[in-house]
Each structure stands twice: as structure tokens, then as C-alpha cells.
Amino acid sequence: MENLGAVHALRDAKRRGVTAEEFEHLRAARWRLKNGLEHRILVVLLHAPDVFELARRQLVQSDFLTPAYAALAAVLLAVPPDAEALKRARAAIAGRPYLPDPEAFDWEREARELVARLVERRERWRLASEVRMERARERNARLSSMSRWSRFT
């Protein structure tokens, strides 16, 4: 039902006299807000196959946390890509009213930005994991030294 709400909101905007350009801007903004990073990158890659090589070089399977997204990413980023699977995936999303207009939207620019954001997220999570591991080592070392001294008190 949430997608229906988005469609109705966009149609209402059209009725209120929003220009076609403003409408497409609203639709793209709504799509970005309502869909997560992994979902968006997969949809964008289906529309911007010229970015596949960049995505293959920079993304890894573990960037996609949802199993269904990881499976589609494996298909999209395979070398060579499965043409029939790509065709079916594109047909499955064709005409979805909540997606930006395929002709007016800059899919390639969006794809490049989203690949960069996914790589940035992976790096941010890796650094956070390293910090957590270092803190755990320090805590374990403190606890270990405390237990050695507690025998003497």
C-alpha cells in the first residue's frame, strides 16, 4: 500500500500544476527516500549498463546484505553478464510508477554516486569493526591483568 501512496502523491502533484520537470524531480526524490541504497543501486545498474565495469571493480558480494539483492547483484556483476537474466530483470521493473522516468533521469550519474556510497559504507563499517575489535582486545587485556592480581589480594 505504501507504493500506492507514493503514486497518488505524485499524481496529485501533477494535478496541482507542477511542471513536468518538477514532477520528475519530485518522483526521483521520492524514490531515493523510499528505497534503500542496495535496492537503488540494482535498479540503477539495470538502467545504466555502462557502469557495470565500474561496479564490478569496486563492489563485492558482501556489500549487498539482503539475500535477494545479493543474488541479483551476482547476476548483474557476472562476467559475462547473463543476457537473458538482465532482460527479465529489466522487464520486471519496466513501467513501475514510483521509478524516475527512464528517459529523463541521469541513470549513469546516479549509478556512479551509488557505487561510491556503497564503497564508502563498506569502508566505514570496516573501520568501525576494527575499532570494536581493538576495544575488545584492550578490555580483555585489562580483565586478564585484573584476574592475575586478584589472586594476591
Side-chain angles (χ1 to χ4, degrees), residues 67-99:
Y69 293 161
L72 181 56
V75 169
L76 290 178
L77 302 176
V79 179
D82 182 342
E84 183 59 29
L86 288 174
K87 182 179 169 184
R88 280 185 273 154
R90 287 183 182 119
I93 65 168
R96 301 270 172 114
Y98 57 86
L99 291 177

Side-chain angles (χ1 to χ4, degrees), residues 11-153:
R11 285 185 184 150
D12 187 46
K14 260 189 170 175
R15 280 194 300 267
R16 286 182 296 191
V18 172
T19 67
E21 185 178 324
E22 292 170 329
F23 178 76
E24 287 309 320
H25 179 71
L26 285 171
R27 181 163 39 182
R30 176 101 177 158
W31 177 66
R32 286 185 186 111
L33 284 172
K34 299 300 278 182
N35 294 286
L37 180 60
E38 295 170 29
H39 171 96
R40 291 192 344 254
I41 187 103
L42 293 172
V43 169
V44 166
L45 285 174
L46 285 170
H47 285 90
D50 295 341
V51 185
F52 279 5
E53 193 54 42
L54 170 73
R56 282 186 190 105
R57 283 193 317 269
Q58 295 190 2
L59 300 179
V60 294
Q61 196 70 31
S62 61
D63 286 332
F64 298 90
L65 307 177
T66 306
Y69 293 161
L72 181 56
V75 169
L76 290 178
L77 302 176
V79 179
D82 182 342
E84 183 59 29
L86 288 174
K87 182 179 169 184
R88 280 185 273 154
R90 287 183 182 119
I93 65 168
R96 301 270 172 114
Y98 57 86
L99 291 177
D101 179 11
E103 303 304 318
F105 193 67
D106 188 354
W107 295 103
E108 192 170 319
R109 182 183 57 77
E110 184 83 358
R112 291 179 190 287
E113 288 176 13
L114 292 174
V115 166
R117 287 182 62 192
L118 213 51
V119 169
E120 179 186 305
R121 179 182 78 174
R122 179 187 344 122
E123 183 62 16
R124 196 172 55 246
W125 288 0
R126 184 188 65 76
L127 291 173
S129 176
E130 288 177 5
V131 167
R132 283 192 305 275
M133 292 298 288
E134 182 58 32
R135 287 179 182 160
R137 280 192 287 277
E138 290 171 359
R139 185 180 62 245
N140 288 341
R142 271 194 320 274
L143 291 174
S144 176
S145 70
M146 287 173 51
S147 65
R148 275 183 276 166
W149 289 108
S150 66
R151 286 180 271 169
F152 300 108
T153 57

